Amino acid sequence: MEGNFLTAVFLPLALFIIMLGMGLSLTLDDYKGVLIYPKAVVIGLVSQLVMLPIVGFGIASMFPLNPELAVGVMILVACPGGATSNMITFLAEGDVALSVTLTAISSLITVFTIPLVVNFAMQTFLGAGTTLQLPVLNTVLQIAVMTLLPLAMGMGINRYAPGIAAKANKPVKWLSLFFLSVVLTGIMLQERDNLIPSVMAVGWVTLVLNVATMTLGFAIATLAKLGEKRARAITVEVGIQNGTLAIAIASSPTLLNNSTMAVPAAIYSLLMFVTGVGFAFFVSRIRR
């Protein structure tokens, strides 16, 4: 499969379908969660939008990564949450309403924070003289089209045609999973010559990042005395990233157009399912 076709057509389509599916399960009331439990929402958002990039930067700096992979790690931590976090929160018997609220609000905020985090990472790891940068306005518009537009469309369908939304929800999720699988396979094939060295270099980094962020998320929520269910939701929201969006930013021809930078997100997207489901299984066993 042609790399340009993969990143120019399949990847935006996969992200569009995933965000549409997320919108089908959201209502405007989900955004009111900040009024219902403001402390939990603020702590969750600070963990996602502030702590996560700081931890990611520390880990990317600590490990001997090549500069492009280090930037790839930072792209990943700039894209928190995603529809997967809501599903894993449900499996972990956490506060799904809080999880959905954090996903919904962070999806709006990261449209503006992603260019700032990624440009800082490129200046730091690629050198001050690098000409590769995300144009802020153009990036904000593209991310909005890829994420907020389908999210709003899904919410509109859910609001005005709830029956259609209910019937379409499951097929859309399976379709998004199919497209995501195609994208991940395509990136691995595209990077096949460098795949083993890249996996060896960044595999342990993504594992450390995943475990560290989930642990810190749980610790912060526990110390804040948010309660067991909310602590689980924040743990998942901080540890599960929007890998599809990170891959789109790294490899899109109109953004960074660098498949190497997409490798950390591709590996993390596979790894987080294992650790996320493992966490859900562990806490459900403890409850029983």
Side-chain angles (χ1 to χ4, degrees):
M1 182 180 294
E2 287 288 334
N4 287 341
F5 181 78
L6 175 75
T7 54
V9 179
F10 258 78
L11 186 53
L13 188 58
L15 184 58
F16 190 94
I17 293 172
I18 289 170
M19 297 306 294
L20 177 67
M22 193 168 85
L24 290 173
S25 60
L26 287 177
T27 66
L28 288 176
D29 288 338
D30 294 318
Y31 290 89
K32 296 177 183 176
V34 68
L35 302 176
I36 300 171
Y37 25 75
K39 180 181 177 181
V41 172
V42 169
I43 289 173
L45 289 174
V46 169
S47 298
Q48 286 182 309
L49 303 173
V50 180
M51 183 202 75
L52 188 53
I54 291 173
V55 172
F57 180 77
I59 290 174
S61 302
M62 182 175 61
F63 282 85
L65 294 173
N66 78 47
E68 289 180 324
L69 290 176
V71 172
V73 171
M74 291 303 295
I75 295 171
L76 177 66
V77 296
C79 304
T84 305
S85 62
N86 306 148
M87 178 189 69
I88 293 179
T89 298
F90 172 76
L91 294 176
E93 300 177 46
D95 190 330
V96 178
L98 174 61
S99 175
V100 169
T101 298
L102 289 173
T103 299
I105 296 174
S106 65
S107 296
L108 298 177
I109 298 174
T110 51
V111 169
F112 303 98
T113 59
I114 286 170
L116 303 178
V117 173
V118 175
N119 281 335
F120 168 76
M122 287 191 289
Q123 291 293 314
T124 302
F125 294 111
L126 297 179
T130 180
T131 57
L132 184 64
Q133 281 195 337
L134 281 176
V136 176
L137 181 59
N138 185 43
T139 303
V140 166
L141 291 174
Q142 286 198 52
I143 295 175
V145 170
M146 289 190 295
T147 60
L148 299 188
L149 178 61
L151 186 71
M153 288 173 60
M155 290 179 65
I157 295 170
N158 192 20
R159 170 70 177 83
Y160 296 105
I164 294 175
K167 290 179 181 178
N169 203 355
K170 192 171 182 179
V172 166
K173 286 181 179 178
W174 280 108
L175 189 60
S176 64
L177 185 61
F178 166 73
F179 276 106
L180 180 57
S181 301
V182 171
V183 169
L184 291 176
T185 303
I187 287 174
M188 296 302 182
L189 290 174
Q190 199 173 330
E191 286 289 303
R192 57 187 176 276
D193 294 336
N194 302 314
L195 184 60
I196 299 301
S198 295
V199 170
M200 294 294 290
V202 84
W204 283 106
V205 177
T206 55
L207 179 61
V208 170
L209 176 65
N210 183 238
V211 173
T213 52
M214 291 184 77
T215 302
L216 285 171
F218 184 80
I220 291 171
T222 302
L223 289 173
K225 298 179 180 179
L226 296 181
E228 196 174 316
K229 290 175 73 69
R230 291 176 183 173
R232 292 177 186 178
I234 290 176
T235 300
V236 174
E237 282 293 323
V238 175
I240 302 298
Q241 313 308 324
N242 192 340
T244 314
L245 178 58
I247 294 170
I249 291 167
S251 56
S252 172
T254 55
L255 293 175
L256 294 178
N257 196 23
N258 189 310
S259 58
T260 301
M261 292 181 181
V263 170
I267 295 173
Y268 198 97
S269 294
L270 299 173
L271 184 67
M272 70 183 186
F273 279 101
V274 178
T275 56
V277 172
F279 172 74
F281 177 77
F282 175 73
V283 295
S284 63
R285 287 288 296 240
I286 287 179
R287 281 181 66 84
R288 282 198 288 270

